[in-house]
PDB file of all heavy atoms in Angstrom:
ATOM      1  N   CYS W  90      18.832 -83.610  23.761  1.00 98.00           N
ATOM      2  CA  CYS W  90      18.216 -84.810  24.332  1.00 98.00           C
ATOM      3  C   CYS W  90      18.755 -86.077  23.678  1.00 98.00           C
ATOM      4  O   CYS W  90      18.893 -86.144  22.453  1.00 98.00           O
ATOM      5  CB  CYS W  90      16.710 -84.747  24.141  1.00 98.00           C
ATOM      6  SG  CYS W  90      15.951 -83.367  24.991  1.00 98.00           S
ATOM      7  N   TYR W  91      19.000 -87.066  24.527  1.00 98.00           N
ATOM      8  CA  TYR W  91      19.574 -88.336  24.080  1.00 98.00           C
ATOM      9  C   TYR W  91      18.835 -89.497  24.724  1.00 98.00           C
ATOM     10  O   TYR W  91      18.421 -89.406  25.883  1.00 98.00           O
ATOM     11  CB  TYR W  91      21.057 -88.428  24.487  1.00 98.00           C
ATOM     12  CG  TYR W  91      21.914 -87.377  23.855  1.00 98.00           C
ATOM     13  CD1 TYR W  91      22.083 -86.133  24.462  1.00 98.00           C
ATOM     14  CD2 TYR W  91      22.553 -87.615  22.643  1.00 98.00           C
ATOM     15  CE1 TYR W  91      22.865 -85.150  23.875  1.00 98.00           C
ATOM     16  CE2 TYR W  91      23.341 -86.625  22.054  1.00 98.00           C
ATOM     17  CZ  TYR W  91      23.489 -85.406  22.674  1.00 98.00           C
ATOM     18  OH  TYR W  91      24.264 -84.437  22.090  1.00 98.00           O
ATOM     19  N   SER W  92      18.726 -90.596  23.986  1.00 98.00           N
ATOM     20  CA  SER W  92      18.257 -91.844  24.570  1.00 98.00           C
ATOM     21  C   SER W  92      19.481 -92.718  24.790  1.00 98.00           C
ATOM     22  O   SER W  92      20.528 -92.493  24.175  1.00 98.00           O
ATOM     23  CB  SER W  92      17.244 -92.536  23.647  1.00 98.00           C
ATOM     24  OG  SER W  92      17.870 -92.895  22.430  1.00 98.00           O
ATOM     25  N   ALA W  93      19.360 -93.705  25.675  1.00 98.00           N
ATOM     26  CA  ALA W  93      20.464 -94.633  25.932  1.00 98.00           C
ATOM     27  C   ALA W  93      19.960 -95.772  26.798  1.00 98.00           C
ATOM     28  O   ALA W  93      19.038 -95.593  27.603  1.00 98.00           O
ATOM     29  CB  ALA W  93      21.621 -93.929  26.638  1.00 98.00           C
ATOM     30  N   ASP W  94      20.573 -96.937  26.635  1.00 98.00           N
ATOM     31  CA  ASP W  94      20.314 -98.053  27.536  1.00 98.00           C
ATOM     32  C   ASP W  94      21.058 -97.789  28.835  1.00 98.00           C
ATOM     33  O   ASP W  94      22.011 -96.995  28.874  1.00 98.00           O
ATOM     34  CB  ASP W  94      20.815 -99.358  26.923  1.00 98.00           C
ATOM     35  CG  ASP W  94      20.029 -99.763  25.673  1.00 98.00           C
ATOM     36  OD1 ASP W  94      18.874 -99.309  25.513  1.00 98.00           O
ATOM     37  OD2 ASP W  94      20.587-100.525  24.861  1.00 98.00           O
ATOM     38  N   TYR W  95      20.637 -98.469  29.897  1.00 98.00           N
ATOM     39  CA  TYR W  95      21.288 -98.259  31.187  1.00 98.00           C
ATOM     40  C   TYR W  95      21.412 -99.560  31.967  1.00 98.00           C
ATOM     41  O   TYR W  95      20.727-100.541  31.684  1.00 98.00           O
ATOM     42  CB  TYR W  95      20.535 -97.219  32.016  1.00 98.00           C
ATOM     43  CG  TYR W  95      19.185 -97.669  32.526  1.00 98.00           C
ATOM     44  CD1 TYR W  95      19.039 -98.183  33.827  1.00 98.00           C
ATOM     45  CD2 TYR W  95      18.042 -97.580  31.746  1.00 98.00           C
ATOM     46  CE1 TYR W  95      17.800 -98.585  34.306  1.00 98.00           C
ATOM     47  CE2 TYR W  95      16.808 -97.972  32.215  1.00 98.00           C
ATOM     48  CZ  TYR W  95      16.689 -98.483  33.490  1.00 98.00           C
ATOM     49  OH  TYR W  95      15.468 -98.885  33.963  1.00 98.00           O
ATOM     50  N   ALA W  96      22.306 -99.539  32.954  1.00 98.00           N
ATOM     51  CA  ALA W  96      22.485-100.653  33.870  1.00 98.00           C
ATOM     52  C   ALA W  96      22.265-100.134  35.283  1.00 98.00           C
ATOM     53  O   ALA W  96      22.659 -99.014  35.602  1.00 98.00           O
ATOM     54  CB  ALA W  96      23.890-101.231  33.734  1.00 98.00           C
ATOM     55  N   GLY W  97      21.617-100.947  36.108  1.00 97.00           N
ATOM     56  CA  GLY W  97      21.364-100.563  37.485  1.00 97.00           C
ATOM     57  C   GLY W  97      19.876-100.389  37.732  1.00 97.00           C
ATOM     58  O   GLY W  97      19.048-100.658  36.865  1.00 97.00           O
ATOM     59  N   THR W  98      19.568 -99.927  38.925  1.00 96.00           N
ATOM     60  CA  THR W  98      18.185 -99.708  39.330  1.00 96.00           C
ATOM     61  C   THR W  98      17.952 -98.216  39.493  1.00 96.00           C
ATOM     62  O   THR W  98      18.665 -97.554  40.241  1.00 96.00           O
ATOM     63  CB  THR W  98      17.897-100.431  40.669  1.00 96.00           C
ATOM     64  OG1 THR W  98      18.164-101.822  40.496  1.00 96.00           O
ATOM     65  CG2 THR W  98      16.457-100.241  41.090  1.00 96.00           C
ATOM     66  N   LEU W  99      16.960 -97.704  38.772  1.00 97.00           N
ATOM     67  CA  LEU W  99      16.636 -96.285  38.876  1.00 97.00           C
ATOM     68  C   LEU W  99      16.236 -95.934  40.293  1.00 97.00           C
ATOM     69  O   LEU W  99      15.350 -96.576  40.871  1.00 97.00           O
ATOM     70  CB  LEU W  99      15.471 -95.935  37.939  1.00 97.00           C
ATOM     71  CG  LEU W  99      15.771 -95.936  36.457  1.00 97.00           C
ATOM     72  CD1 LEU W  99      14.474 -95.848  35.668  1.00 97.00           C
ATOM     73  CD2 LEU W  99      16.691 -94.790  36.102  1.00 97.00           C
ATOM     74  N   ALA W 100      16.895 -94.943  40.851  1.00 95.00           N
ATOM     75  CA  ALA W 100      16.575 -94.466  42.198  1.00 95.00           C
ATOM     76  C   ALA W 100      16.995 -93.006  42.303  1.00 95.00           C
ATOM     77  O   ALA W 100      18.064 -92.632  41.811  1.00 95.00           O
ATOM     78  CB  ALA W 100      17.310 -95.295  43.250  1.00 95.00           C
ATOM     79  N   PRO W 101      16.154 -92.179  42.923  1.00 96.00           N
ATOM     80  CA  PRO W 101      16.549 -90.772  43.077  1.00 96.00           C
ATOM     81  C   PRO W 101      17.729 -90.634  44.029  1.00 96.00           C
ATOM     82  O   PRO W 101      17.759 -91.262  45.077  1.00 96.00           O
ATOM     83  CB  PRO W 101      15.296 -90.105  43.641  1.00 96.00           C
ATOM     84  CG  PRO W 101      14.444 -91.205  44.169  1.00 96.00           C
ATOM     85  CD  PRO W 101      14.847 -92.469  43.476  1.00 96.00           C
TER      86      PRO W 101
END
Side-chain angles (χ1 to χ4, degrees):
C90 297
Y91 297 88
S92 64
D94 294 338
Y95 70 97
T98 302
L99 289 169

